[in-house]
Amino acid sequence: AEEESYQYHTKGNFDKCAYWLAESSIPNSGLGIYAGKIYQKSDTIGNGDLIIPVLKTDKTEASRNRGWRKMSDSHHYIPGEYFEHGTEVLNLIQFAHINCHFGLSNVDFGETKNDNAGLKRGVHPGAGAITTRYNFVYSSTQTIYPGEELFWEYDGFIVPYLEHYEKSDIIGNRLLTTGNVEEEAWAILRELAESKVQRLLPEKLSDYKNMHDTYGKIDPAWENRKYYEKADKIGTQLLEAGENILNETWDIIRDLAGKRLRMALPDKISDYQRMKDTYGKINSARASVPNSTRSAKWLQKHGHCVDNPYVDKSTIPGAGRGAFSKRVVKKGDVLTVSPMVVLDSGAMDMVGNNLLEHVKETKKQLVLNYCFGHDDSDVLLVPYGSGVTAINHNKEPNVYIRWADNSQYHLKEWLNFTVDELFMQEMWRLLIEYVALKDIQPGDEVFMDYGQSWEKAWMKYKETFEPKTNVNGYTPASEYLNMHQGDLIRTTEEQLNDPYPENLHTACYFCMMENDEFEPCLHPCPCVITKREKAIVNNGTGWYWNYTAIIGTNGYGTEDSKYLNASKVSVPYSCIPESTTSQTVEVIEQDITIVDKQFSTDMYQPNVFRHHIHVPEGFYPEQWLWKDRDTRAF
């Protein structure tokens, strides 16, 4: 069966491209990502891309860019990552195009990483100018075949929806394979009926027929009439169905099914039979998007290969991470493509009453450093492409950018929009190509020219940068955890004599759930460790450390501030609503970690380097440029 499925899915030569960008099989969902090779369960999918935190400010909230507001209103929390209160996560990667399908989900988040790429505060000018979050990848949750579109779960709804798709398959198979359709149909209907109706339905259809012949239609008490009438209707429909028993049963099943199951059931039993013959199990999910598996020929004609470049440590000292080519790219060939997100330069200003004073001195959002822009325009373009946000500057570049005029996903008419018209769009239909200026070999770092204005701004920043030998004992959480692997987590009492660095505090993988209780989750939330003691297991033959923790905003009042070296720790909303009181929970060591205090990391330091990547002259249409600086909107 595995070999047959593989043969069915692998039609044609996929050119050894691991991932393809093309129109999603889900109507009106924009672009999607398709596998170009076979992936086994738990395989890593992606190029290890960057994650860029974007802080909500008065400027982002008031932005005239509808697309920006729509994007910033979408909460993207990365498992295992801890972000500041009011922070959104901008996944500027090709794999953000992976869409949701509840019945066909085949990938989930993989493990991300967090470190400063060797850039030290007070030592390297680039500290705070790059994101520390990287290695954003997915992990396959099942075998994925070449040509299959990648889907993932949104907001954790995959489990209940997948159960309904599987249930729809079970129902269809039971009806088509049983030797006694009437009795099997009766059994299915009893299972689907709400409890008050189910109690009125005898165990067998034959028993209902005997009751019907003896008593006729039952005249129930008024308050239960609707349930008796529904039970009578089900029995009568089956008894009168005759040769049409399958279709009649299917109609009743769809009437009885809840909304989610009804969505998974085809309209007719004959439709189900065709799906089963074509797709096999979970056919209703696959049939809902019949083009979710594309042929190699279709992808080569309509798609773009996007498995290049990958992200690793840059060869440029002090640059952090860089992009590297996986394969030979000949001069004039396209390294990769990238859709472009349109942003409003005015939204980059760090302005707002909700911001700490030192954060306001950061001046600009970190994402500005990853944007293409023009000194005389309000339009910023952020590449939504795998690996490309890690491409560094070099006066002798090996790639340049151009509009992807030959791609069906690049709407050239958008270049005729005014700035206001461009900002009104909620979807993005601009695509650029990264074209090789010379032959690029496997493992070569990819560079482009950021432009004279960027070069001038960077050189000025470096000239005025003053190295510091003492940065107030600052130690990034990622660095501290690497140096202290295996250390016990300190309680509040222990921290009085042996405190953590000032910028760090403890956090627990517990979050507020819908039942207003704290339960284990994937996101670390600030907590106070009040006690540690041995828990004995296995009849005294084993033990582990058990910790008592306080989670919640009240856990950071005056009494505990001396342990955390702060008057109060702001708690991300993804952990707990601000109005919620604290709770005490029992946790094990694996549920505790050390995180940076909010807004203490390099990216929020005063006057860190910020500047857009300047597009080549002539790249922006004239109507995107100011006629003079007095006409600028901000």
Side-chain angles (χ1 to χ4, degrees):
E2 181 86 358
E3 181 63 24
E4 290 177 1
S5 180
Y6 180 76
Q7 292 297 328
Y8 172 76
H9 287 289
T10 55
K11 295 180 179 179
N13 180 4
F14 284 81
D15 292 340
K16 297 183 180 179
C17 176
Y19 321 111
W20 292 83
L21 176 72
E23 182 181 5
S24 175
S25 58
I26 301 177
N28 303 313
S29 293
L31 298 175
I33 298 292
Y34 295 81
K37 67 175 188 178
I38 190 168
Y39 290 94
Q40 302 296 342
K41 184 177 180 180
S42 300
D43 280 353
T44 296
I45 297 177
N47 295 331
D49 285 297
L50 308 182
I51 305 167
I52 305 174
V54 177
L55 189 65
K56 277 192 174 182
T57 68
D58 292 353
K59 285 291 188 177
T60 60
E61 295 293 274
S63 173
R64 56 188 172 139
N65 182 346
R66 294 179 65 186
W68 166 268
R69 294 201 303 273
K70 181 179 179 181
M71 179 175 61
S72 65
D73 284 341
S74 301
H75 294 261
H76 301 288
Y77 295 113
I78 310 300
E81 287 290 344
Y82 171 74
F83 295 100
E84 281 75 13
H85 181 62
T87 301
E88 303 302 336
V89 181
L90 198 56
N91 299 329
L92 296 175
I93 59 174
Q94 210 71 264
F95 293 88
H97 291 289
I98 293 178
N99 290 301
C100 172
H101 192 289
F102 297 122
L104 297 177
S105 174
N106 49 20
V107 299
D108 200 353
F109 282 127
E111 183 181 356
T112 60
K113 295 181 180 179
N114 180 11
D115 64 59
N116 58 15
L119 304 186
K120 302 288 187 180
R121 179 183 297 186
V123 177
H124 297 99
I130 66 168
T131 179
T132 62
R133 273 74 175 225
Y134 69 106
N135 195 52
F136 182 91
V137 293
Y138 287 89
S139 177
S140 52
T141 58
Q142 62 190 53
T143 301
I144 302 173
Y145 297 97
E148 284 191 25
E149 185 170 0
L150 304 183
F151 297 108
W152 74 293
E153 59 180 281
Y154 284 7
D155 296 329
F157 291 130
I158 183 62
V159 173
Y161 273 93
L162 187 56
E163 287 175 354
H164 289 298
Y165 277 107
E166 290 175 341
K167 193 170 185 178
S168 73
D169 280 325
I170 293 171
I171 291 171
N173 277 313
R174 285 172 64 179
L175 285 180
L176 292 173
T177 58
T178 182
N180 189 332
V181 176
E182 291 86 353
E183 291 298 345
E184 189 65 33
W186 188 259
I188 294 172
L189 295 175
R190 288 190 78 250
E191 293 169 11
L192 290 177
E194 57 186 304
S195 59
K196 290 183 179 180
V197 174
Q198 189 182 75
R199 287 197 296 268
L200 299 174
L201 293 171
E203 289 189 6
K204 298 181 180 180
L205 180 61
S206 56
D207 293 338
Y208 176 84
K209 185 178 186 304
N210 293 335
M211 291 171 55
H212 191 272
D213 291 343
T214 303
Y215 301 105
K217 195 170 185 178
I218 302 173
D219 187 17
W222 175 257
E223 62 270 19
N224 292 319
R225 178 180 297 276
K226 64 178 180 179
Y227 303 114
Y228 279 99
E229 290 179 345
K230 196 166 189 177
D232 272 328
K233 182 179 179 181
I234 290 172
T236 303
Q237 282 181 274
L238 282 188
L239 291 176
E240 296 177 352
E243 296 181 356
N244 198 34
I245 182 68
L246 281 175
N247 290 328
E248 191 68 37
T249 301
W250 198 258
D251 289 341
I252 302 173
I253 286 173
R254 286 183 55 81
D255 287 340
L256 290 177
K259 181 180 178 181
R260 290 179 175 176
L261 178 58
R262 192 178 304 122
M263 289 172 60
L265 291 166
D267 290 339
K268 300 178 181 179
I269 187 68
S270 57
D271 293 337
Y272 175 86
Q273 180 66 67
R274 283 195 295 273
M275 293 177 190
K276 182 179 180 182
D277 293 342
T278 303
Y279 300 102
K281 197 174 181 182
I282 314 186
N283 48 70
S284 51
R286 181 67 64 186
S288 65
V289 279
N291 293 321
S292 60
T293 298
R294 305 284 195 182
S295 68
K297 183 177 180 180
W298 188 93
L299 287 172
Q300 288 160 357
K301 180 178 179 180
H302 300 282
H304 297 279
C305 181
V306 291
D307 66 352
N308 204 18
Y310 65 94
V311 179
D312 206 340
K313 187 174 181 179
S314 176
T315 59
I316 302 175
R321 281 170 273 275
F324 296 81
S325 181
K326 288 183 175 180
R327 60 176 66 91
V328 173
V329 182
K330 294 292 185 181
K331 179 180 179 180
D333 287 351
V334 175
L335 173 82
T336 190
V337 301
S338 173
M340 305 300 281
V341 178
V342 180
L343 299 184
D344 177 355
S345 66
M348 296 295 103
D349 296 335
M350 299 283 268
V351 177
N353 294 328
N354 62 319
L355 298 181
L356 300 175
E357 287 304 316
H358 83 269
V359 174
K360 295 177 183 178
E361 292 302 312
T362 304
K363 310 260 188 228
K364 300 286 184 180
Q365 297 271 7
L366 174 63
V367 70
L368 179 63
N369 288 355
Y370 298 90
C371 293
F372 289 103
H374 194 288
D375 293 342
D376 296 325
S377 177
D378 288 325
V379 176
L380 294 174
L381 301 174
V382 191
Y384 224 76
S386 187
V388 296
T389 49
I391 296 177
N392 284 312
H393 166 70
N394 195 312
K395 287 185 176 180
E396 297 181 0
N398 51 15
V399 298
Y400 72 97
I401 61 168
R402 70 185 182 196
W403 294 115
D405 289 338
N406 294 323
S407 173
Q408 68 189 79
Y409 309 120
H410 173 66
L411 300 185
K412 290 186 284 187
E413 56 267 31
W414 275 43
L415 301 181
N416 297 323
F417 285 163
T418 65
V419 172
D420 286 335
E421 290 171 337
L422 190 66
F423 286 165
M424 287 294 290
Q425 308 307 310
E426 294 189 2
M427 297 287 285
W428 300 286
R429 289 300 187 189
L430 295 173
L431 197 76
I432 66 169
E433 296 173 333
Y434 295 79
V435 184
L437 286 164
K438 60 182 74 172
D439 289 353
I440 300 174
Q441 301 301 318
D444 283 356
E445 184 165 4
V446 180
F447 300 108
M448 61 184 169
D449 188 347
Y450 282 13
Q452 290 184 0
S453 67
W454 184 94
E455 174 87 14
K456 182 178 179 181
W458 174 242
M459 295 306 294
K460 182 179 179 180
Y461 182 82
K462 287 206 302 182
E463 289 171 1
T464 57
F465 177 78
E466 296 182 0
K468 300 175 183 178
T469 56
N470 183 0
V471 286
N472 299 320
Y474 173 76
T475 304
S478 58
E479 184 178 313
Y480 182 88
L481 289 170
N482 285 333
M483 293 188 300
H484 296 272
Q485 295 182 31
D487 284 9
L488 292 175
I489 302 296
R490 299 168 201 161
T491 65
T492 51
E493 184 175 352
E494 290 170 336
Q495 289 180 54
L496 289 176
N497 297 319
D498 187 15
Y500 288 114
E502 288 188 11
N503 60 293
L504 303 181
H505 59 78
T506 49
C508 299
Y509 288 93
F510 271 69
C511 304
M512 173 67 74
M513 300 301 177
E514 291 182 358
N515 60 1
D516 292 334
E517 296 291 333
F518 285 98
E519 296 180 9
C521 67
L522 296 174
H523 312 288
C525 298
C527 63
V528 174
I529 306 301
T530 59
K531 185 167 63 174
R532 179 183 65 248
E533 58 186 357
K534 286 185 177 180
I536 307 301
V537 294
N538 297 331
N539 297 321
T541 62
W543 63 274
Y544 65 90
W545 286 115
N546 185 72
Y547 291 81
T548 302
I550 300 175
I551 306 177
T553 52
N554 283 358
Y556 305 97
T558 305
E559 181 180 350
D560 293 308
S561 64
K562 56 186 176 182
Y563 305 118
L564 294 175
N565 300 304
S567 59
K568 187 170 183 177
V569 175
S570 179
V571 182
Y573 188 80
S574 58
C575 298
I576 172 176
E578 289 185 344
S579 59
T580 304
T581 58
S582 61
Q583 292 186 17
T584 300
V585 297
E586 300 297 314
V587 298
I588 60 176
E589 192 163 3
Q590 289 79 359
D591 291 332
I592 312 172
T593 188
I594 304 295
V595 297
D596 295 284
K597 286 183 182 177
Q598 300 216 70
F599 309 112
S600 68
T601 57
D602 291 337
M603 65 173 285
Y604 292 113
Q605 294 309 294
N607 301 310
V608 287
F609 180 76
R610 297 286 186 266
H611 201 282
H612 61 260
I613 302 166
H614 204 287
V615 295
E617 290 302 326
F619 190 81
Y620 271 16
E622 286 293 326
Q623 65 272 20
W624 292 5
L625 306 178
W626 315 319
K627 293 180 180 179
D628 56 69
R629 291 194 171 268
D630 291 337
T631 64
R632 189 185 182 195
F634 290 88

